[in-house]
Amino acid sequence: MNVMTTASAIAQAAAPFPGMVWVPAGEYRMGSDHHYPEEAPAHPVEVDGFWMDVAPVTNARFREFVEATGHVTFCEIAPDAADYPGADPSMLTPASVVFVPPPGRVGLQDHYQWWQFIPGADWRHPQGPSSSLEGRDDHPVVHVAYADIEAYARWASKALPTEAEFEWAARGGVEGEYAWGSELTPGGRHMANIWQGEFPWQNLAEDGHVGTSPVGAYPANAYGLQDLIGNVWEWTCDWYRPRHPAAAVKSCCIPNNPRGANLDESYDPAQPIRIPRKVMKGGSHLCAPNYCRRYRPAARMAQPVDTSTSHLGFRCVVRRDVFAE
């Protein structure tokens, strides 16, 4: 099947909002059998065409939403102790999770050596209360929990992508391990904002960026989409399960527009407090060859709906049936 967009497909798919492009329908093998266990098994799926935001929602755009609605983000509100029985009272304060590099080489088994829960960190103060968005209007907004992105999507009259939609869009009709082919840095060119150096302490910034980068700083894929790999992880609307479902036995039964797990499957059985989890996709500027090789379309991770971080953002989609007559 030819998955590349055609002139006729583009002509019949005028974007409903500025800053969106058409992602054509197609069939692909979702997931991977060659990397992390949660990506397996690879299996064929079909996805209908849809419009997608060219880039992650930026700080400037999120500010428009906040100013228009008065929305207060999840991490700006003190948690209710009743929702977190047994929690340390010092944790029940407005705060978010921030990457803080250690001063030197550390073991990679304990992520608390570089992740800190910082009171006063939020989308306006991405590194903590003394930081700001100065010079970062065109960077992806971060420190947004799932309730925040749902509220934004309603305000924008859009929706949040499914995992299958996101992965299909990230692949861009290209065959290969990466969204752009089979080499991580073809010809020495950095194709996405990921970590260069030894994570988590040595950031060589060979591509000129430490932390998030302005949207569009790297090449767009064949569909005209930017930053679907690297820069920030992105929320999807699908509940998480630790593995993909098995492939259909018969070719006639390939799932069309598949959805993720049900709510009950999404909880982490190892956690004492039951918080449902969504799938996040795309990797971030913290993904590194020596630690987290998730700068690939097939990569996926679980994210509790109540947790915001300094490397997680989002973008929206619009499906054709929304505008069908």
Side-chain angles (χ1 to χ4, degrees):
M1 176 179 292
N2 180 6
V3 300
M4 297 302 290
T5 54
T6 66
S8 60
I10 295 171
Q12 66 180 341
F17 299 106
M20 303 193 84
V21 297
W22 179 248
V23 178
E27 178 185 322
Y28 73 105
R29 287 187 66 79
M30 184 178 179
S32 171
D33 295 319
H34 307 295
H35 294 280
Y36 296 98
E38 70 271 11
E39 300 171 19
H43 59 291
V45 301
E46 295 177 337
V47 178
D48 292 340
F50 56 94
W51 292 277
M52 186 176 236
D53 289 341
V54 168
V57 173
T58 63
N59 288 314
R61 182 62 173 156
F62 196 77
R63 183 185 299 112
E64 292 178 25
F65 156 65
V66 169
E67 291 176 349
T69 64
H71 181 82
V72 179
T73 59
F74 191 90
C75 71
E76 295 176 273
I77 303 169
D80 187 339
D83 295 331
Y84 299 92
D88 181 346
S90 67
M91 301 287 283
L92 300 176
T93 186
S96 193
V97 180
V98 179
F99 173 76
V100 179
R105 184 178 286 112
V106 296
L108 299 178
Q109 292 72 38
D110 180 9
H111 64 266
Y112 291 109
Q113 294 179 102
W114 55 85
W115 285 114
Q116 296 183 18
F117 188 69
I118 297 184
D122 56 44
W123 73 273
R124 295 184 181 88
H125 309 94
Q127 299 306 122
S130 63
S131 64
S132 76
L133 295 181
E134 183 177 356
R136 301 170 68 90
D137 275 359
D138 57 352
H139 286 232
V141 66
V142 292
H143 296 298
V144 283
Y146 195 75
D148 304 319
I149 68 170
E150 282 188 310
Y152 176 95
R154 288 193 298 268
W155 171 77
S157 299
K158 298 179 180 180
L160 299 166
T162 66
E163 179 179 1
E165 287 171 338
F166 190 101
E167 184 169 330
W168 170 243
R171 290 178 181 274
V174 174
E175 294 292 335
E177 182 173 347
Y178 306 106
W180 46 86
S182 58
E183 295 183 56
L184 179 59
T185 53
R189 185 182 187 187
H190 293 285
M191 303 296 288
N193 183 6
I194 65 173
W195 187 280
Q196 296 102 44
E198 185 181 335
F199 183 87
W201 69 280
Q202 179 195 50
N203 191 341
L204 301 178
E206 294 169 347
D207 59 356
H209 298 290
V210 174
T212 60
S213 53
V215 300
Y218 298 83
N221 74 4
Y223 297 150
L225 296 161
Q226 300 166 335
D227 291 338
L228 279 166
I229 299 297
N231 210 359
V232 293
W233 283 97
E234 297 187 35
W235 288 101
T236 74
C237 63
D238 280 351
W239 296 114
Y240 180 82
R241 61 162 64 97
R243 285 179 64 84
H244 286 304
V249 175
K250 298 181 179 179
S251 61
C252 65
C253 303
I254 293 174
N256 179 253
N257 299 320
R259 296 302 309 269
N262 60 49
L263 173 64
D264 288 340
E265 292 178 285
S266 72
Y267 296 101
D268 183 350
Q271 295 300 317
I273 300 176
R274 284 168 55 84
I275 304 296
R277 299 175 296 168
K278 294 285 187 177
V279 177
M280 62 178 186
K281 295 284 285 182
S284 80
H285 61 273
L286 299 180
C287 288
N290 75 302
Y291 176 63
C292 175
R293 300 182 301 279
R294 291 185 170 90
Y295 32 71
R296 297 170 291 102
R300 60 199 298 269
M301 288 190 73
Q303 183 69 10
V305 296
D306 66 342
T307 303
S308 56
T309 74
S310 60
H311 75 330
L312 173 58
F314 73 107
R315 78 180 74 204
C316 294
V317 300
V318 172
R319 299 179 183 97
R320 184 189 290 280
D321 57 6
V322 173
F323 291 92
E325 297 183 357

